[in-house]
């Protein structure tokens, strides 16, 4: 709740996503035994063709695998540790990371376009230390958009902020009320249908309460 609320307080909005964030975390040698699994022995031929043999061998994960209950904590703790390590060299980015991150989603804001540019540059520098590429960039800063065009950075005008659709240029959240109602208009009107419709609206800030 606090993250999207802080996001709305800033004049300049910036969001991005860490690509394949879990796979950027390397498991230390002393705990890799906990990630053992059985699989067929694999070899490569002289023409680099993969061959699977009948022999079963024990493998270990080197990177953090998907589906572990502890993954969100490990990712957040790693990024917070990264912010602590480079607090002096990237003060703007580290402050944003400590307060405005949810797993691999960065939901940030600044007061001016100049600050937005500094934040972008520091974020790129900071995440490069753990080989974490940032993508899905969005902002309403014309200065930052111009920089992205020069650097051929892909960005979007419409995005989702922790599940809520946002038109970044118009600075408004989008609510597809009509679309959700039309899809269920042929069903009999019951209490179950009303509850079903209400559950389709994701609204952590309560913006849509006057419509429901």
């Amino acid at each position: 709740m606090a993250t999207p609320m802080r996001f709305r307080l800033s004049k300049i909005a910036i969001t991005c996503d860490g690509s394949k964030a879990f796979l950027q975390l390397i498991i230390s040698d002393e705990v890799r035994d906990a990630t053992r699994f059985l699989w067929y022995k694999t070899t490569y031929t002289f023409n680099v063709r993969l061959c699977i043999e009948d022999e079963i061998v024990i493998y270990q994960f080197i990177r953090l695998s998907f589906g572990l209950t502890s993954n969100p904590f490990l990712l957040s703790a790693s990024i917070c540790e990264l912010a602590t390590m480079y607090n002096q060299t990237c003060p703007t980015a580290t402050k944003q990371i400590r307060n405005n991150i949810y797993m691999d989603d960065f939901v940030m804001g600044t007061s001016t376009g100049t600050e937005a540019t500094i934040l972008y540059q520091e974020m790129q520098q900071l995440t490069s230390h753990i080989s974490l590429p940032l993508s899905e960039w969005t902002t309403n800063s014309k200065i930052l958009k111009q920089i992205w065009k020069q650097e051929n950075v892909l960005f979007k005008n419409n995005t989702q902020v922790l599940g809520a659709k946002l038109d970044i240029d118009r600075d408004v959240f989008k609510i597809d009320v009509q679309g959700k109602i039309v899809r269920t208009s042929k069903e009999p009107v019951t209490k179950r249908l009303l509850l079903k419709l209400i559950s389709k609206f994701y609204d952590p800030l309560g913006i849509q309460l006057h419509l429901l």
Side-chain angles (χ1 to χ4, degrees), residues 30-45:
E30 58 268 22
V31 297
R32 286 182 185 174
D33 276 344
T35 66
R36 290 179 295 176
F37 65 98
L38 301 176
W39 194 246
Y40 295 101
K41 183 178 181 180
T42 56
T43 57
Y44 289 90
T45 61

Side-chain angles (χ1 to χ4, degrees), residues 6 22 29 35 49 55 77 79 83 85 116 137-139 153 159 180 209 212:
R6 283 193 296 267
F22 292 132
D29 293 336
T35 66
R49 183 177 180 180
E55 182 182 354
I79 294 177
M85 292 172 60
W137 287 96
T138 56
T139 186
V153 176
T159 187
K180 289 181 171 61
L209 288 178
L212 301 178

Side-chain angles (χ1 to χ4, degrees), residues 1-9 99-102 107 161-164 173 202-209:
M1 177 68 77
T3 299
M5 288 183 67
R6 283 193 296 267
F7 173 73
R8 298 298 297 160
L9 295 176
N99 298 318
N100 302 317
I101 182 176
Y102 181 77
V107 184
V161 179
L162 303 183
F173 282 104
Y202 179 75
D203 184 23
L205 296 180
I207 298 174
Q208 309 168 24
L209 288 178

Side-chain angles (χ1 to χ4, degrees), residues 129-145:
H129 292 294
I130 57 173
S131 301
L132 177 61
L134 299 177
S135 61
E136 305 290 333
W137 287 96
T138 56
T139 186
N140 58 340
S141 170
K142 295 181 180 179
I143 297 176
L144 194 51
K145 283 184 178 180

Side-chain angles (χ1 to χ4, degrees), residues 113-175:
T114 303
E115 291 179 1
T117 303
I118 295 173
L119 175 59
Y120 164 68
Q121 293 171 344
E122 288 190 5
M123 285 294 297
Q124 293 285 65
Q125 178 184 348
L126 187 63
T127 54
S128 67
H129 292 294
I130 57 173
S131 301
L132 177 61
L134 299 177
S135 61
E136 305 290 333
W137 287 96
T138 56
T139 186
N140 58 340
S141 170
K142 295 181 180 179
I143 297 176
L144 194 51
K145 283 184 178 180
Q146 189 62 35
I147 293 175
W148 289 345
K149 289 179 181 179
Q150 294 173 357
E151 297 181 357
N152 295 322
V153 176
L154 298 178
F155 62 92
K156 303 185 300 182
N157 291 325
N158 295 308
T159 187
Q160 287 193 357
V161 179
L162 303 183
K165 293 183 179 180
L166 174 68
D167 186 327
I168 204 78
D169 287 329
R170 296 171 57 200
D171 192 27
V172 294
F173 282 104
K174 289 185 174 182
I175 308 170

